[in-house]
Amino acid sequence: MTHRERILAAIRGEMPDRLPFAPRLELWHIANSRKGTLPEKYRNSQPDEIARAEGWALHKINPEYQKPRSPEDFLHWGLGIMSCKETVYGYQMPGDVDVEVKSHEGETKIVYHTPVGTVSSTVVNTEEMRRSGVSNFWVKEHVLKEAKDYRPVGYIYQNLKLFPDPQDFLKWQSEIGEDGVPFSLACRSASPVHHIQKHMVDATDFFYQYHDNAKEMQGLAESISHFFERVLALVADSPAEVVFWGANFDDMITYPSYFSKEIRPWIERAAGVLGAKGKFVSCHCDGENQGLMELIRDSGMHVAEAVCPWPMTKVKIDDYYRRWADKLTIFGGIPSILLLKESTSEESFEEYLDYLFKAVAPGRRMILGVADSVPPAAVYERIVRIGERVAKEGRLPLKAGGYRTFSGSQLTQAAPREKARLVWDEEFKIIQKDVFEGDQEAIKGHIADFLAKGLKAEDILKRGLLTAMEAIGERFKTGEVFIPEVLLSARAMNEATAALEPYLASAKIEAKGRVLIGTVKGDLHDIGKNLVVTMLKGVGFEVRDLGINVEAEVFIREVERFKPDILGLSALLTTTMPQMKIVIEALKKKGLRGSLKIMVGGAPVNEKFARDIGADGYAPDGAESITLARKLMVS
Ligand code: B1M
């Protein structure tokens, strides 16, 4: 069988001759070719040439953002409108919308003047980002900043024209030939609201806007749904075989109730329409899927791609296979940290492969891939080794049973947590409920009532508000509440403390400590860090947030200025973790380490890493960051 035949057979639920293997090399290639660190024999080779030479299938799933046909392809990234060789449609902006474009050093600001108002967005794509292995764009200024921005964006979507344009896709398809299956891009998001979330609003602000601007957002989603319907119709009548329909599902960001309400109906619809035409829907499920397992399985999607199992996330690959493989095809299964010598020993790597081949037996509905992609610092020989083992042991059906569960000596799985209990304080129950419900309006009135009754501000804060906020933190930890609840609760909490402040000042309550925090250089992930900020503020810490992509020099300058008790460093990429050490070393050099406590966190970080780089502590989540910050304050 050819790679193409194998992949399509796996997607159809048939039994290919052996496991297909398609590693995503793009990021690894971008970073290493720019640094001159590609393997010697491939110094001048493109990713496809390398994959072909090694006998791997080409990974043609995500659009090649760094290889556009022209800069126009992704010009309207900030609106989520794009046309590239991976799409089978083109678009035309409404004639009465005036588009102003200003580009400078990798930063592009676009202003849209529509008959119903003006909006703007700024998108960044620099050489430095490419060197550190980023393949797509970073939205510095989002198009939806306030409620008034919804109408102009809706206008653009209502009047946008889409037309069939499959020529470049066909050319690309024929270049790939039998070496892979090109997935055609329908949309990077799976539904209209998800489209707003992924492209148009800041990742954390989305949760507030979803709550506060619900009417405007639903209105805009309706305008965008015409676009989605049109895309669906164009893709259905196109030569596309497998269709990329939405990315970055994660049980925190696309939490279960949201996934169920806003995302799943559209996947079902796409799978129905495209399925009837003999096409397949694939979604990029690269996040934490633990809370979404059944929802994804029953959504109708035909392929869950970029599946990144334990030890990078909580669900093991055998569990995925057992729960999903009768309904959909799993593409992925090899977490990227297995390719890094810092995180995984040679022995653990081999042990994982032993386990993997048995865990996915008999191998139907399985396409092996490195999820989400081969990282820049991957040990190249390990990719080769996977290819060799697939060729030797990947013949289907694979034999199950008798496997040693992967112990991953240095890698530990999060222990299941007990459900959190809040002990209501009868006297303050009403404001505790306000915090739980994130009711920022009601809480102000209730605080005023309490004060008028003569209750002490300190008691209202400690017995009422802080206990409720801590319980929210605990419930977040146990998975009983999700990001939006935490953010809204913390906002209500902040309203309440602001109302109490004049009275607290007289009671001489001081902040519990000063925390300076940021996501390190090269890293643009901020959802988790923002949550940590919110939770620390919620329980009374004074926090200064430096944002994302923060250089060591900036941390130093701000430590000197702000004089924090604790410096918090966040990193979500294995490539940016070393930045934490660079910051710590730079602080030492400047003589600023002294009594300053340093806490680190982020998905790939762990206790051992924290110790190795000389940090004072590691927190796995927002709630633990409160516990750790308190511990550091007294140590
Ligand atoms: Co990215 N991404 N991403 N991504 N992304 C990951 C992190 C990845 C694990 C996906 C995967 O492989 N399955 C992978 C990293 C692999 C690795 O290096 N180990 C990855 C990749 C490869 C990339 C790009 C390189 C992809 C590309 O370019 N093609 C690119 C890199 C951009 C860059 O930073 N230079 C990229 C881009 C993006 C988006 C922009 C699309 C988006 C980020 C949006 C944003 O943050 N504004 C995104 C997303 C959403 C993810 C996943 C799916 C979800 C991350 C998240 O927000 N989780 C993620 C998959 C995953 O993590 N499994 C993935 C929810 C959040 C609440 O959890 O951030 O872990 P988390 O925060 C927790 C704790 O970690 C802890 O508390 C938080 C709250 O409980 N914590 C701290 C965090 N910071 C802390 C600090 C502390 C204490 C605790 O003290 C200071």
Side-chain angles (χ1 to χ4, degrees):
M1 279 179 134
T2 64
H3 288 303
R4 175 186 156 74
E5 288 166 348
R6 255 178 223 131
I7 292 174
L8 286 174
I11 293 176
R12 284 195 292 261
E14 295 161 2
M15 195 67 113
D17 59 345
R18 68 163 149 98
L19 278 177
F21 172 49
R24 182 179 173 194
L25 298 175
E26 173 205 9
L27 260 75
W28 165 83
H29 187 269
I30 293 173
N32 287 288
S33 60
R34 280 176 162 77
K35 285 190 252 169
T37 46
L38 284 174
E40 189 60 43
K41 61 179 174 176
Y42 296 126
R43 275 289 136 87
N44 299 311
S45 307
Q46 290 303 310
D48 291 359
E49 292 169 326
I50 300 175
R52 282 188 166 113
E54 298 285 2
W56 310 325
L58 304 188
H59 187 282
K60 295 291 172 183
I61 316 319
N62 311 67
E64 292 169 330
Y65 302 113
Q66 301 301 331
K67 290 185 187 161
R69 297 168 305 184
S70 82
E72 294 285 310
D73 281 8
F74 301 114
L75 185 63
H76 302 293
W77 181 271
L79 279 179
I81 298 168
M82 57 198 72
S83 170
C84 46
K85 66 176 186 299
E86 292 86 356
T87 56
V88 288
Y89 59 87
Y91 67 86
Q92 197 189 344
M93 277 286 169
D96 55 359
V97 173
D98 184 30
V99 181
E100 238 182 280
V101 182
K102 276 189 203 134
S103 288
H104 182 62
E105 291 181 354
E107 213 170 291
T108 305
K109 179 167 178 100
I110 309 195
V111 185
Y112 301 91
H113 301 279
T114 81
V116 295
T118 295
V119 285
S120 62
S121 89
T122 304
V123 176
V124 182
N125 180 25
T126 60
E127 178 56 28
E128 194 198 337
M129 282 166 68
R130 287 187 284 272
R131 280 170 74 91
S132 62
V134 183
S135 68
N136 53 29
F137 308 91
W138 172 53
V139 183
K140 186 175 168 188
E141 179 202 357
H142 286 87
V143 74
L144 297 178
K145 293 173 276 288
E146 41 189 326
K148 75 169 182 45
D149 297 331
Y150 282 77
R151 231 180 124 211
V153 177
Y155 183 89
I156 296 173
Y157 269 93
Q158 269 158 11
N159 296 286
L160 185 75
K161 292 208 168 46
L162 295 185
F163 51 86
D165 186 12
Q167 289 319 313
D168 290 323
F169 174 78
L170 286 168
K171 191 166 156 260
W172 183 53
Q173 192 178 40
S174 87
E175 282 161 13
I176 294 165
E178 288 302 309
D179 296 332
V181 176
F183 284 29
S184 170
L185 177 71
C187 223
R188 293 182 67 249
S189 32
S191 72
V193 172
H194 190 220
H195 199 59
I196 297 172
Q197 179 183 28
K198 269 198 75 64
H199 285 276
M200 302 180 196
V201 195
D202 167 76
T204 307
D205 191 30
F206 170 78
F207 299 108
Y208 293 123
Q209 294 215 30
Y210 185 60
H211 179 266
D212 299 347
N213 298 335
K215 214 171 105 229
E216 287 83 357
M217 196 174 282
Q218 283 309 328
L220 175 56
E222 247 174 74
S223 306
I224 298 176
S225 68
H226 302 305
F227 165 80
F228 266 73
E229 288 293 358
R230 187 81 184 108
V231 168
L232 189 54
L234 288 166
V235 174
D237 288 334
S238 78
E241 294 166 294
V242 190
V243 178
F244 186 107
W245 192 274
N248 305 125
F249 298 153
D250 176 282
D251 68 9
M252 282 289 158
I253 306 171
T254 55
Y255 52 98
S257 59
Y258 170 79
F259 187 93
S260 198
K261 179 169 178 233
E262 307 288 2
I263 294 182
R264 183 179 152 165
W266 272 95
I267 299 178
E268 267 171 358
R269 173 146 173 68
V273 171
L274 298 177
K277 295 265 187 172
K279 300 180 194 303
F280 301 98
V281 166
S282 172
C283 302
H284 189 75
C285 305
D286 68 329
E288 176 60 69
N289 292 318
Q290 190 182 44
L292 300 173
M293 290 300 284
E294 276 67 41
L295 289 169
I296 289 180
R297 185 197 59 201
D298 300 334
S299 67
M301 77 176 73
H302 304 105
V303 184
E305 180 265 323
V307 171
C308 181
W310 184 85
M312 271 177 79
T313 57
K314 296 195 185 94
V315 187
K316 291 191 168 185
I317 189 62
D318 46 333
D319 209 10
Y320 269 117
Y321 195 73
R322 191 173 47 76
R323 292 164 76 179
W324 279 4
D326 58 338
K327 287 215 172 161
L328 53 85
T329 298
I330 300 167
F331 193 151
I334 303 170
S336 59
I337 54 167
L338 289 192
L339 302 183
L340 302 173
K341 65 171 183 306
E342 294 78 17
S343 347
T344 311
S345 67
E346 211 49 53
E347 194 195 359
S348 288
F349 168 70
E350 289 291 344
E351 198 190 337
Y352 185 85
L353 293 184
D354 294 345
Y355 150 71
L356 175 70
F357 281 102
K358 296 200 163 119
V360 301
R364 191 195 299 275
R365 286 201 185 279
M366 186 73 212
I367 302 170
L368 282 190
V370 179
D372 135 285
S373 46
V374 174
V379 177
Y380 184 72
E381 291 69 30
R382 292 194 187 176
I383 323 173
V384 175
R385 177 79 182 129
I386 301 169
E388 283 169 1
R389 289 198 59 171
V390 168
K392 228 164 109 188
E393 302 160 47
R395 186 150 295 280
L396 300 189
L398 300 170
K399 286 192 186 56
Y403 65 79
R404 284 183 300 156
T405 300
F406 177 59
S407 61
S409 15
Q410 330 92 313
L411 311 158
T412 47
Q413 186 178 20
R417 297 188 189 277
E418 284 184 11
K419 291 214 175 238
R421 281 185 308 127
L422 166 70
V423 182
W424 292 104
D425 184 320
E426 280 309 320
E427 199 170 2
F428 294 105
K429 193 168 178 178
I430 193 158
I431 52 166
Q432 291 187 314
K433 270 185 82 187
D434 291 337
V435 173
F436 264 69
E437 286 162 14
D439 196 335
Q440 59 169 345
E441 287 313 314
I443 205 164
K444 284 189 275 189
H446 292 139
I447 294 275
D449 293 345
F450 278 146
L451 289 169
K453 274 196 223 153
L455 286 167
K456 282 209 299 210
E458 194 184 355
D459 286 343
I460 302 174
L461 179 70
K462 282 193 177 159
R463 282 174 51 201
L465 301 173
L466 289 176
T467 48
M469 195 57 216
E470 282 180 29
I472 285 282
E474 283 298 313
R475 288 186 179 195
F476 175 69
K477 200 157 79 177
T478 56
E480 289 163 84
V481 299
F482 294 92
I483 294 182
E485 284 102 329
V486 178
L487 292 174
L488 294 173
S489 291
R491 188 170 67 174
M493 172 84 194
N494 289 339
E495 284 292 336
T497 23
L500 280 178
E501 217 149 73
Y503 306 91
L504 287 172
S506 58
K508 289 207 172 50
I509 296 278
E510 279 168 16
K512 293 194 169 162
R514 288 155 77 89
V515 181
L516 181 72
I517 193 168
T519 302
V520 297
K521 185 180 164 196
D523 205 318
L524 308 175
H525 294 84
D526 65 356
I527 302 174
K529 183 261 302 160
N530 291 352
L531 207 71
V532 170
V533 169
T534 306
M535 291 174 87
L536 288 174
K537 276 187 184 167
V539 295
F541 282 89
E542 185 185 347
V543 185
R544 182 155 152 61
D545 181 6
L546 298 177
I548 51 168
N549 194 19
V550 183
E551 310 238 3
E553 301 83 78
V554 176
F555 277 118
I556 290 184
R557 190 187 69 210
E558 295 304 315
V559 164
E560 282 173 326
R561 280 189 191 158
F562 184 66
K563 306 205 182 329
D565 302 297
I566 300 171
L567 173 65
L569 304 173
S570 177
L572 263 281
L573 298 171
T574 30
T575 43
T576 56
M577 283 164 68
Q579 274 296 323
M580 292 180 162
K581 185 163 182 196
I582 293 175
V583 175
I584 296 176
E585 292 303 319
L587 285 164
K588 276 190 201 155
K589 235 181 178 169
K590 278 267 180 181
L592 292 169
R593 182 71 176 89
S595 61
L596 176 70
K597 296 285 190 280
I598 296 180
M599 83 170 170
V600 293
V605 179
N606 61 23
E607 196 79 56
K608 179 178 179 300
F609 176 79
R611 265 199 315 273
D612 290 352
I613 61 167
D616 297 296
Y618 153 75
D621 55 46
E624 290 289 336
S625 71
I626 298 175
T627 316
L628 175 61
R630 284 183 177 149
K631 212 171 94 192
L632 294 177
M633 287 303 295
V634 293
S635 65

